[in-house]
Amino acid sequence: MIPRSPDSTDEKETGRLEAFSDGVFSIAMTLLVLELKVPHGDPGHLVSELLSQGATYVAFATSFFNILIMWINHHALFKQVGRVDHSLLVLNGLLLFGVTFVPFPTELVSEAVGFEDQRIAALVYTGTLIFIAIIFNLLWRYASTRLLSAKADPKIIDAINKQYRFGPLFYVLAFGLAFVNFTASIGICVGLAIFFALPKKTSIEGLE
């Protein structure tokens, strides 16, 4: 039987950790805009100069939505958690470490597209996502066996288990593909981001 915390401790135990995590997510997302630069070239060339930064716009959008999806899943996960302990704090800290690093490999990929080093960039990018996926899984597996709230919904718990089950394996596949096919590797990562972003009935109920 999975141990659960008393109802009265739920908000007290997790509130501070969630507030801190939300702050890190929001700062990481906000700082992305610093990569966007206002052109200061010759007058009359503004459109061409804006278009020349296309890769930067893609990197900004990709990083923003990747972090947004991670925050949504983090929020859904902690709706089921009733209390925290030292190990959970460490795992959550490692997750936030990965989140704050996301903009770097994303920008690396955007700058390397079409060049010889794009394979290396894809390896760094997919390697980062493997790390985050593993920590997300460890965080959830640990919390779901020790720290669930008394109000946790079994249907939502099952949905999260199913959603997280194969994520790391697909990111490992993307990492391997980076050695032979840059486009396929990044494509798998984009597909996984879309998968984790798709609303599921039980997940939506858990966010209410």
Side-chain angles (χ1 to χ4, degrees):
M1 181 176 179
I2 298 174
R4 299 169 185 255
S5 62
D7 290 355
S8 60
T9 65
D10 287 358
E11 184 176 354
K12 177 183 177 182
E13 287 284 339
T14 64
R16 186 176 180 184
L17 181 147
E18 292 180 66
F20 174 76
S21 300
D22 288 349
V24 173
F25 276 105
S26 63
I27 291 172
M29 294 168 73
T30 302
L31 290 177
L32 292 172
V33 77
L34 297 180
E35 296 297 327
L36 304 180
K37 308 298 181 183
V38 176
H40 295 288
D42 297 329
H45 296 83
L46 181 59
V47 173
S48 62
E49 291 178 4
L50 286 171
L51 293 176
S52 69
Q53 298 186 51
T56 303
Y57 304 144
V58 172
F60 167 77
T62 302
S63 285
F64 184 91
F65 286 108
N66 266 328
I67 295 175
L68 176 62
I69 292 165
M70 292 174 194
W71 174 78
I72 291 172
N73 282 279
H74 186 273
H75 179 70
L77 184 156
F78 272 92
K79 290 291 287 185
Q80 308 307 311
V81 177
R83 61 189 182 87
V84 301
D85 62 10
H86 179 77
S87 296
L88 188 71
L89 291 173
V90 171
L91 289 170
N92 192 72
L94 288 173
L95 177 64
L96 296 179
F97 170 79
V99 168
T100 57
F101 188 72
V102 166
F104 172 73
T106 306
E107 181 68 18
L108 199 63
V109 167
S110 71
E111 294 290 337
V113 172
F115 294 96
E116 184 178 352
D117 290 334
Q118 66 179 11
R119 182 180 67 179
I120 303 301
L123 288 171
V124 176
Y125 182 77
T126 54
T128 300
L129 295 180
I130 288 173
F131 173 82
I132 293 174
I134 290 174
I135 297 301
F136 244 125
N137 270 268
L138 290 175
L139 178 68
W140 171 244
R141 302 303 173 187
Y142 181 81
S144 65
T145 56
R146 294 172 173 82
L147 306 171
L148 286 181
S149 166
K151 301 176 183 177
D153 188 331
K155 292 182 179 180
I156 297 177
I157 294 170
D158 185 58
I160 296 175
N161 285 335
K162 290 178 180 178
Q163 189 181 48
Y164 284 14
R165 187 168 298 161
F166 299 109
L169 294 178
F170 279 107
Y171 283 122
V172 170
L173 175 62
F175 183 86
L177 278 175
F179 286 99
V180 294
N181 193 313
F182 170 84
T183 303
S185 174
I186 300 301
I188 288 177
C189 294
V190 172
L192 284 170
I194 294 173
F195 169 74
F196 284 115
L198 289 175
K200 295 176 175 58
K201 185 174 185 300
T202 51
S203 295
I204 294 174
E205 291 171 350
L207 291 173
E208 293 176 350

